[in-house]
Amino acid sequence: MTGTLIGVGVGPGDPQLLTLAAVAAISTSPVVAFHSARHGRSVARGIVATHLRDGHVEEHLVYPVTTETTDHPGGYEGALADFYDEATARLARHLAAGRDVALLAEGDPFVHSSYQHLHERLAARFPTRVIPGISSITAAGASLGRPLVESTETLVVLPGTLPEEELAARLGEADAAVVMKLGRTFPTVRAALQRIGRLDEAWYVERASTSRERVARLADVAPASVPYFALAVLPSRVGAICADERAAGDPLVADEGVAGEVAVVGLGPAGALWLTPEAKAALQSATDVIGYATYTDRVPARPGLTIHRSDNKVESERAEFALDLARRGHRVAVVSSGDPGVFAMASAVLEVACEPDYAHVPVRVLPGVTAAHAAAARVGAPLGHDYATISLSDRLKPLDVVRDRVRAAAAADLVLALYNPASRERTWQVGVIRDDLLALRPATTPVVVARAVGSDEESVTVTTLGELDPAIVDMRTLLIIGSSQTVAVTRAPGTSPSRVTYTPRRYPDAGASGIETDPGQGRVASAAQADRRSARRPTTKEAS
């Protein structure tokens, strides 16, 4: 009969935080195993020392390296692999002889623990049991005296060994977060927090629950003083605000005279899945969000955030208001649907930011998924070749200019992505533009009609230029008009997607002759290109 491998979580450091199950497992197991660095001191063993007896067989597993370099031929990873193989063999001898092994793990055995590596190697050969322990993650919340996460907030646990950019992206997405494994990674973690504007929210907890516990604002901690057993914590904003209001004021409320900034944020076409990590980080760190009400409604309310809603026709006023707030120390996010640099707020903010009164205010433009790209992806790749993006709105430029630009782009055989095709006040212009295009392109030209992409009201259809009904187009619609090369193809029955629209990357040779129209596909194709397609098409034998 074989022994059982027992992963014993011994908690964050205070022996009084050992669970009853952990004490029982240690007391009844003939073998107790634990890790340490080469200095030989084991934190896990120290936590359980009073529960060890003379009859225990102690297996001391000493890492050959921790963070230092090694002359092992396989490098750091090779040295650790050999170590775990040797440790596996040592424990396997006890288990095969019928002796239970209590393998100690600081915190919880399945949360960033060395136990996991041996569990993976031994679990297929021997019975295993895991006794959970109080993690340093939850112990840190107790040390701070404030909630880690509340209500609908999310809590993210990250290793500090991630690259700075990835740390910044993930921390920016989170409501609350804990970063483990600091030590040498501390400068990178600090830089990531500063990069996303959340350094002032971050706390530092060292050796939680022990007599050597240390709690401080992370920004005040000297990197050289940080051990491995330390955490960076972004606690619940709800809890943070309550605690700071009791102390010295809310840290998320900007102070007069403190340098702020404006981030012009692209929200994408709709919903959280379209939002980039960089945009999420800006929204998380903002003290104020400004924008058209339809877009600000997509930003979740949270403690410390003030949302300023406005009409869609006051862009300059909105920009000036944002820059005024930033000049007074606020971190302002001006939000736009799609990408802020495509018929949106980035131009308006930068125009005002270039005036002498605001020339010193930092401004960032954070890109988003554009409506054109989102609509194109829904049907395939109609923007696969050269294309032009044109707004049909005549509110900021004359309709004659709009029509001239559409005709010029159509004459150049560009695919057209047409924004703002209609509104409550503009109901007839789509028909005029369609007729202009019919004078230059076949009626069979594919047209993508995409409305409210990404939302619950999404509707995307593919029709032709001749059959385009202006009555179905409203202010939430985007039109993609194909070029002479754009095709709408029906694929094999049951295949997903069953129909795709795309514009090939190749274009007919300049000297090609024999232009012909393929009414079934809504495409003008050259004989030369058709020959190339035939040449590329595999024979039946090749295809099989």
Side-chain angles (χ1 to χ4, degrees), residues 53 67 95 103-104 153 161 218 245 334 498 503 534:
R53 49 186 169 77
T67 59
L95 295 168
L103 178 53
L104 309 182
E153 290 180 316
T161 49
L218 190 137
E245 283 176 347
V334 178
S498 61
T503 303
S534 296

Side-chain angles (χ1 to χ4, degrees), residues 95 195 273 338 484:
L95 295 168
R195 183 171 179 174
L273 290 176
S484 67

Side-chain angles (χ1 to χ4, degrees), residues 234 372 517:
L234 289 174
T517 302

Side-chain angles (χ1 to χ4, degrees), residues 243-259:
D244 285 331
E245 283 176 347
R246 290 194 300 269
D250 177 6
L252 298 181
V253 176
D255 297 324
E256 296 290 334
V258 177

Side-chain angles (χ1 to χ4, degrees), residues 383-526:
L383 305 181
H385 207 290
D386 300 337
Y387 67 93
T389 302
I390 300 175
S391 171
L392 299 192
S393 173
D394 59 357
R395 189 169 67 84
L396 299 176
K397 62 180 181 287
L399 181 61
D400 286 346
V401 173
V402 175
R403 294 179 68 184
D404 286 346
R405 290 178 177 178
V406 170
R407 286 191 291 251
D413 200 23
L414 298 173
V415 175
L416 303 177
L418 301 180
Y419 281 67
N420 307 312
S423 68
R424 293 185 183 91
E425 295 83 15
R426 294 184 292 107
T427 58
W428 52 271
Q429 284 90 334
V430 175
V432 171
I433 296 296
R434 178 200 59 190
D435 293 343
D436 287 346
L437 288 170
L438 282 169
L440 296 163
R441 295 205 176 158
T444 53
T445 300
V447 176
V448 179
V449 182
R451 184 181 186 278
V453 173
S455 76
D456 293 339
E457 301 174 36
E458 176 180 312
S459 173
V460 181
T461 59
V462 179
T463 183
T464 63
L465 191 57
E467 296 176 352
L468 175 62
D469 180 6
I472 67 172
V473 178
D474 64 12
M475 64 187 300
R476 301 185 68 188
T477 303
L478 180 133
L479 300 175
I480 297 178
I481 315 294
S483 72
S484 67
Q485 303 302 300
T486 305
V487 295
V489 179
T490 300
R491 303 172 71 220
T495 304
S496 179
S498 61
R499 188 169 175 81
V500 296
T501 301
Y502 69 94
T503 303
R505 294 287 304 279
R506 294 178 177 82
Y507 201 77
D509 295 335
S513 59
I515 300 295
E516 59 184 11
T517 302
D518 181 351
Q521 301 296 333
R523 167 184 177 171
V524 177
S526 71

Side-chain angles (χ1 to χ4, degrees), residues 111-180:
V111 179
H112 287 299
S113 167
S114 296
Y115 167 79
Q116 297 165 224
H117 300 288
L118 293 171
H119 179 94
E120 291 163 0
R121 288 168 166 80
L122 291 166
R125 299 163 53 191
F126 303 101
T128 61
R129 182 160 64 97
V130 173
I131 298 173
I134 296 174
S135 169
S136 60
I137 298 165
T138 51
S143 298
L144 288 174
R146 60 180 59 184
L148 287 179
V149 63
E150 296 188 47
S151 186
T152 58
E153 290 180 316
T154 60
L155 174 66
V156 173
V157 179
L158 302 168
T161 49
L162 292 174
E164 180 186 326
E165 185 170 353
E166 186 170 355
L167 276 171
R170 297 195 182 197
L171 289 169
E173 292 181 298
D175 298 312
V178 173
V179 184
M180 306 178 70

